[in-house]
């Protein structure tokens, strides 16, 4: 499970860095630098160690987003993303413009992917169990 989470976080970090570079117009230079410095053999098979069976995954190890208020530039991207495509788990203070992650966070990492400040949002272990809220009560005696 840890390996799967680590791979997911690495991918999210890459997407976020690329997004940041696109904002600054440096993505093209980065692509060129990567092509020059990397060979195909450098990346082939690198993800294989992270592949495993579904049954080996833990459904008790979960993560949530943690925002560093000192690093936050109050841009609101995490709030908009979580609201539109995530789980509506971020509240945005209209006065201070500080985002706050609530218990509804599923650890999907969308906010981390869009935040322009590297390491401002980190995924940390969840201390309470996540309870899905699907808008319907759980069926006790489902009728098939
Ligand atoms: S990890 Fe997903 S659910 Fe949690 S705050 Fe970020 S976008 Fe919202
Ligand atoms: S995306 Fe990052 S910098 Fe912007 S408000 Fe959210 S935590 Fe702050």
């Amino acid at each position: 499970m840890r390996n799967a989470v680590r791979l997911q976080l690495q991918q999210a970090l890459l997407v976020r860095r690329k997004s940041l570079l696109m904002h600054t117009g440096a993505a093209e230079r980065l692509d060129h630098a990567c092509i020059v410095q990397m060979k195909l053999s450098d990346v082939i098979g690198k993800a294989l160690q992270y592949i495993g069976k579904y049954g080996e995954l833990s459904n008790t190890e979960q993560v949530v987003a943690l925002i560093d208020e000192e690093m936050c530039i109050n841009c609101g991207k995490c709030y908009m993303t979580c609201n539109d495509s995530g789980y509506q788990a971020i509240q945005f203070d209209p006065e201070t413009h500080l985002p706050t992650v609530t218990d509804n966070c599923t650890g999907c990492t969308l906010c981390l992917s869009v935040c322009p400040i590297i390491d401002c949002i980190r995924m940390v272990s969840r201390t309470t169990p996540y309870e899905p809220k699907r808008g319907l009560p759980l069926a006790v005696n489902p009728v098939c």
Side-chain angles (χ1 to χ4, degrees):
M1 174 63 183
R2 284 203 183 90
N3 285 342
V5 170
R6 193 175 302 131
L7 179 63
Q8 190 182 14
L9 293 179
Q10 284 171 344
Q11 287 170 337
L13 192 62
L14 277 176
V15 169
R16 186 166 56 124
R17 288 199 167 134
K18 185 106 185 229
S19 156
L20 177 62
L21 288 166
M22 284 168 80
H23 281 299
T24 62
E28 214 171 288
R29 291 199 299 277
L30 176 76
D31 282 344
H32 181 68
C34 287
I35 290 168
V36 170
Q37 292 172 12
M38 293 189 71
K39 297 190 298 268
L40 195 55
S41 57
D42 291 336
V43 293
I44 286 179
K46 287 289 186 255
L48 290 178
Q49 59 179 313
Y50 300 116
I51 295 175
K53 296 178 186 163
Y54 173 76
E56 294 168 356
L57 296 174
S58 165
N59 61 7
T60 57
E61 292 180 67
Q62 297 168 334
V63 290
V64 288
L66 178 68
I67 296 173
D68 185 333
E69 292 184 0
E70 297 300 318
M71 297 178 78
C72 177
I73 58 169
N74 316 110
C75 68
K77 286 187 174 191
C78 57
Y79 167 72
M80 287 186 285
T81 304
C82 185
N83 212 31
D84 293 345
S85 308
Y87 294 83
Q88 298 80 49
I90 295 182
Q91 291 172 343
F92 202 65
D93 189 307
E95 297 292 325
T96 65
H97 290 189
L98 271 176
T100 308
V101 178
T102 70
D103 236 20
N104 291 337
C105 175
T106 63
C108 72
T109 74
L110 273 178
C111 55
L112 182 151
S113 304
V114 299
C115 178
I117 307 301
I118 291 173
D119 293 337
C120 178
I121 300 180
R122 290 183 298 121
M123 304 309 294
V124 299
S125 295
R126 191 182 179 97
T127 54
T128 54
Y130 174 71
E131 291 179 21
K133 298 186 181 89
R134 299 196 170 97
L136 296 169
L138 294 177
V140 180
N141 297 310
V143 180
C144 298

